[in-house]
Amino acid sequence: MDYNMESIRELILNYIELDEAEWEHCSQMLKIDTINKKEIVLFQNTVCKNIYFVVKGLLRTYFIDQRGNEKTFHFSTENTFATDYESFLKRTPSHYAIQALEDTIVITISLEMHESIYTKLRYGERLGRLIAEDYFFMINDKIKALYGQTPLERYNTMNKKFPKILQRIPQHYIASYLNITSVHLSRLK
Amino acid sequence: MDYNMESIRELILNYIELDEAEWEHCSQMLKIDTINKKEIVLFQNTVCKNIYFVVKGLLRTYFIDQRGNEKTFHFSTENTFATDYESFLKRTPSHYAIQALEDTIVITISLEMHESIYTKLRYGERLGRLIAEDYFFMINDKIKALYGQTPLERYNTMNKKFPKILQRIPQHYIASYLNITSVHLSRLK
DNA sequence: TTTAATTGATAACATTTGTTATCGGTTTTT
DNA sequence: AAAAACCGATAACAAATGTTATCAATTAAA
């Protein structure tokens, strides 16, 4: 289909074997979409029905807490995913919202495709397991950072992890990602 | 084998089908152990080689951060698990340590058993996926609490979640679980 | 092009949280 | 039974972080 699909195929191949027929099945269910800057693709408290794979651009996952403060949970850069995985798996209202920070091109993975993975791919269950495990590792890192590091240390870690993307993101989003206010972040620098 | 095994069998049955032969295979690989109060069953920075299922008693998962502060990550009460799942799955040095807060009886699930699950059980991969997903949900709740709630709110949530266990646990452990100092927790109450 | 929003910095002040020390009252160890 | 360790509360002070407001520079919208 599209040459952009190739990157997602390679990602799957990192996890499991995938023959031509299986890939054919997958690629037919994938859609390429564009999201305009500031557009919201998932609203908080609605069921998350897609996983987005960012081909180009930048997505932000966030939520509004009880006091009305916006908290940024994650940035999805090129070749990474964005979704509320818990909402997606459980079909429950999402805790997070997802918004484009730039004009963004994504590959959309639907609930239907996700379900068919388990039946149509020989190693579908394993793929699901490895993805869930990776998701767990990712979020585990976040917990460790929140528990064991100061905001400044988290900022420095972030600088190493997203060296270039940082300049593209407004500071108040970065601050809320670090769980501090933008004023305080300004001070730390 | 032991009637205590029954609870772990039921847990598995919540996830997948399991026939007699499969259960026979599993139960033969499970060991019942006792852990004395204050005993450490996993040291930080060593590979975590077991998953512990608490039959009776109480385990605490924690780590020492860069500044030398001890941070409690999790309490494992009766009929729940304790492990450093990332270390266990990746065979990497653990970030956490695990210690008994009371004399505790556990069922020990070894690395060997975990591996055999994927080959010996018909739905082993699925079981692995569902466990990883549940682990992810659990930790996702923690993240949401750390991002969106004040320490006092987290304390109240905890009160609802572990209504009785709280009295069994020294306050400074609870405080570090909430990511505050024990002095500050005293003040909040 | 003009106007309106957004952004990042900074200052002054308020609130939250941490640090250190002290003090009874337990519990544990000897 | 005596001594030592542990526990929870409290006070006084220090440090970290939040709040509100202002301002100049930039960017987006009309």
Side-chain angles (χ1 to χ4, degrees):
Chain A
M1 187 174 267
D2 195 297
Y3 102 104
N4 279 320
M5 295 291 189
E6 208 40 46
S7 49
I8 213 170
R9 181 185 195 174
E10 274 167 30
L11 261 179
I12 297 177
L13 285 172
N14 283 336
Y15 291 118
I16 57 167
E17 284 178 39
L18 193 72
D19 65 29
E20 274 305 318
E22 287 173 325
W23 171 244
E24 192 59 27
H25 169 79
C26 287
S27 62
Q28 275 171 13
M29 300 193 75
L30 296 171
K31 282 203 326 278
I32 294 199
D33 292 311
T34 65
I35 309 170
N36 294 326
K37 182 170 178 170
K38 293 190 178 172
E39 193 180 328
I40 292 178
V41 288
L42 172 66
F43 290 88
Q44 199 171 344
N45 295 316
T46 65
V47 174
C48 177
K49 298 195 165 148
N50 295 298
I51 296 173
Y52 301 102
F53 178 78
V54 177
V55 174
K56 185 153 183 19
L58 185 56
L59 299 181
R60 179 176 77 103
T61 304
Y62 66 98
F63 70 99
I64 315 272
D65 71 14
Q66 291 132 329
R67 274 165 299 287
N69 292 117
E70 199 179 280
K71 303 283 184 152
T72 297
F73 169 72
H74 188 68
F75 299 107
S76 299
T77 57
E78 277 143 41
N79 282 312
T80 71
F81 295 93
T83 187
D84 181 334
Y85 202 41
E86 180 162 356
S87 166
F88 184 85
L89 290 174
K90 290 185 175 173
R91 272 94 157 141
T92 51
S94 69
H95 186 259
Y96 301 105
I98 300 177
Q99 177 203 38
L101 293 186
E102 305 173 353
D103 292 337
T104 298
I105 302 171
V106 296
I107 299 176
T108 299
I109 301 167
S110 64
L111 263 178
E112 295 75 42
M113 156 149 184
H114 187 260
E115 273 180 353
S116 79
I117 280 178
Y118 300 134
T119 54
K120 292 293 204 310
L121 306 190
R122 288 166 299 160
Y123 302 111
E125 288 283 352
R126 169 168 298 176
L127 178 62
R129 170 171 68 85
L130 295 173
I131 289 175
E133 286 175 3
D134 270 3
Y135 232 101
F136 168 74
F137 299 149
M138 184 266 279
I139 206 171
N140 203 23
D141 281 346
K142 277 185 90 73
I143 284 265
K144 292 176 200 165
L146 283 173
Y147 262 105
Q149 294 183 263
T150 64
L152 184 55
E153 287 167 340
R154 290 201 291 277
Y155 179 73
N156 292 331
T157 304
M158 194 185 177
N159 253 320
K160 281 177 207 149
K161 246 170 61 184
F162 308 100
K164 293 172 189 170
I165 302 96
L166 228 63
Q167 281 86 35
R168 295 204 243 153
I169 305 174
Q171 294 240 2
H172 61 281
Y173 292 149
I174 296 175
S176 86
Y177 178 84
L178 299 172
N179 209 16
I180 57 176
T181 61
S182 61
V183 177
H184 190 54
L185 177 56
S186 250
R187 252 187 312 230
L188 293 176
K189 300 197 309 182
Chain B
M1 183 173 273
D2 195 296
Y3 103 103
N4 279 320
M5 296 290 191
E6 207 39 47
S7 50
I8 212 170
R9 181 186 195 174
E10 273 167 28
L11 261 179
I12 296 177
L13 285 172
N14 283 337
Y15 290 120
I16 57 166
E17 284 178 40
L18 193 71
D19 64 30
E20 273 306 319
E22 286 172 326
W23 170 243
E24 193 57 29
H25 170 78
C26 287
S27 61
Q28 275 171 12
M29 302 194 72
L30 296 172
K31 281 204 325 280
I32 293 200
D33 292 312
T34 65
I35 309 171
N36 294 324
K37 182 169 178 174
K38 292 192 180 168
E39 193 180 328
I40 293 178
V41 288
L42 172 66
F43 289 89
Q44 199 170 343
N45 295 316
T46 65
V47 175
C48 176
K49 298 193 164 152
N50 295 297
I51 297 173
Y52 302 102
F53 178 77
V54 177
V55 173
K56 184 152 182 20
L58 185 57
L59 299 182
R60 178 175 79 102
T61 304
Y62 67 98
F63 69 99
I64 314 273
D65 71 13
Q66 292 130 331
R67 274 165 300 287
N69 292 118
E70 199 179 281
K71 302 284 184 151
T72 297
F73 171 70
H74 188 66
F75 298 108
S76 299
T77 57
E78 276 144 41
N79 283 312
T80 70
F81 295 92
T83 186
D84 181 335
Y85 201 41
E86 180 162 357
S87 167
F88 184 85
L89 290 174
K90 291 184 175 173
R91 273 93 157 142
T92 51
S94 69
H95 186 258
Y96 301 105
I98 299 177
Q99 177 204 36
L101 293 186
E102 306 171 353
D103 291 338
T104 299
I105 301 171
V106 297
I107 298 176
T108 300
I109 301 167
S110 64
L111 263 178
E112 295 74 42
M113 158 150 180
H114 187 261
E115 272 180 354
S116 79
I117 279 178
Y118 301 135
T119 55
K120 292 291 200 314
L121 305 191
R122 290 167 297 161
Y123 302 112
E125 288 283 351
R126 170 168 300 174
L127 178 61
R129 170 171 69 83
L130 295 173
I131 289 173
E133 286 174 3
D134 270 3
Y135 233 100
F136 168 75
F137 299 149
M138 183 267 277
I139 206 171
N140 202 22
D141 281 346
K142 279 185 88 71
I143 285 262
K144 292 177 200 165
L146 284 173
Y147 261 105
Q149 293 182 264
T150 63
L152 184 54
E153 287 167 340
R154 289 201 292 277
Y155 179 72
N156 292 330
T157 305
M158 193 183 177
N159 254 320
K160 281 178 207 150
K161 246 170 59 185
F162 307 100
K164 292 172 190 170
I165 303 94
L166 229 62
Q167 281 85 35
R168 294 204 243 153
I169 306 174
Q171 293 239 1
H172 61 282
Y173 292 150
I174 296 175
S176 86
Y177 178 82
L178 299 172
N179 208 15
I180 57 177
T181 61
S182 60
V183 176
H184 190 53
L185 176 56
S186 251
R187 252 187 314 230
L188 292 176
K189 300 196 309 181

